[in-house]
């Protein structure tokens, strides 16, 4: 996702919002200001990565969601993405554990 040497779009979005990805240690276990920035960066990074796999109808194949569940986008500091399918309100991919895939968020929090 490069536009001829300029920053990838997720970095442009963060810059436009006045944010930068966390460059120092930022642990997901704490409510630190960097957690917001890291979460936004992670969401944009995953969205950009998955958007590149959409077919002409905007459909993304399950194999690409599997990359999220496999931890491809997880951060060492404890941040991980999860994706909820809007039409069913169920988890389509979960970076922490595949056991959450197919559950609603409520069910995932209760398990």
């Amino acid at each position: 996702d490069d536009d001829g040497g300029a920053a990838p779009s997720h970095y442009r979005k963060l810059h436009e919002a006045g944010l930068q990805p966390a460059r120092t240690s930022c642990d997901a276990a704490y409510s630190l200001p960097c957690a917001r920035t890291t979460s936004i960066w992670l969401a944009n990074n995953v969205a950009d990565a998955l958007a590149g796999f959409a077919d002409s109808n905007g459909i993304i194949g399950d194999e690409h969601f599997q990359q999220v569940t496999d931890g491809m986008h997880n951060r060492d500091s404890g941040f991980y993405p999860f994706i909820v399918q809007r039409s069913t309100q169920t988890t389509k991919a979960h970076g922490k554990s595949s056991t959450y895939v197919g559950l609603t968020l409520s069910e995932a929090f209760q398990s």
Side-chain angles (χ1 to χ4, degrees), residues 1 8-11 13 42-53:
D1 184 27
S9 66
H10 53 273
Y11 287 115
K13 290 175 193 172
L42 183 60
N44 283 313
N45 189 24
V46 171
D48 283 352
L50 290 176
F53 295 115

Side-chain angles (χ1 to χ4, degrees), residues 21-55:
R23 297 188 192 281
T24 60
S25 177
C26 184
D27 193 321
Y30 299 100
S31 179
L32 299 172
C34 64
R36 178 177 182 266
T37 303
T38 300
S39 297
I40 292 169
W41 176 86
L42 183 60
N44 283 313
N45 189 24
V46 171
D48 283 352
L50 290 176
F53 295 115
D55 66 16

